Amino acid sequence: QVQLVESGGGLVQPGGSLRLSCAASGFTFSIFVMSWFRQVPGKERELVAYITSIGGTTNYADSVKGRFTISRDNAKNTAYLQMDSLKPEDTAVYYCNAQRRDVRGMKIEYWGQGTQVTVSS
């Protein structure tokens, strides 16, 4: 059974930090690209950051560049999102995503249930 379980969300003051974790099971974690998305009510889900399976190449949305860091531990089947210098506009539900293409080019994709991050004083 495939599972992606996020944790680490919560309420934090502006300027604070949080570390999100995404624990994966039921699939070969190391060969999947891992991403974090976020969504606020009434808006589309947006990509925050991703990290490739091999080599660990990372990419970030402009809005979080320099403040957020994505990483992964393939031995622990876990992806992380370190969020520093948080702003109220970072408030959203954060989702973990795993995806890859199979040999036919078809996308295989899994989502977590989401974790709420609220940045407020």
Side-chain angles (χ1 to χ4, degrees):
Q1 181 184 1
V2 171
Q3 278 194 310
L4 289 174
V5 180
E6 299 102 333
S7 61
L11 173 64
V12 63
Q13 291 187 342
S17 298
L18 282 175
R19 188 195 196 203
L20 305 184
S21 298
C22 173
S25 60
F27 63 98
T28 307
F29 177 81
S30 61
I31 64 173
F32 278 71
V33 174
M34 296 302 298
S35 304
W36 288 94
F37 287 74
R38 66 186 182 187
Q39 188 171 25
V40 298
K43 291 191 176 182
E44 290 190 0
R45 194 171 293 189
E46 65 167 345
L47 176 65
V48 175
Y50 71 79
I51 183 167
T52 58
S53 57
I54 299 174
T57 300
T58 59
N59 200 12
Y60 299 90
D62 287 343
S63 58
V64 306
K65 227 171 256 186
R67 300 187 299 120
F68 289 13
T69 304
I70 189 171
S71 61
R72 66 189 297 160
D73 185 337
N74 288 339
K76 294 183 178 180
N77 288 352
T78 302
Y80 304 96
L81 185 68
Q82 177 66 41
M83 305 186 293
D84 298 317
S85 303
L86 282 161
K87 305 175 181 179
E89 51 263 43
D90 294 319
T91 296
V93 177
Y94 284 72
Y95 296 90
C96 178
N97 171 278
Q99 62 178 273
R100 72 174 182 90
R101 298 280 177 177
D102 67 13
V103 292
R104 299 166 297 173
M106 297 290 288
K107 183 193 286 189
I108 301 171
E109 186 172 39
Y110 307 123
W111 289 94
Q113 83 288 351
T115 185
Q116 176 70 45
V117 171
T118 303
V119 184
S120 175
S121 54

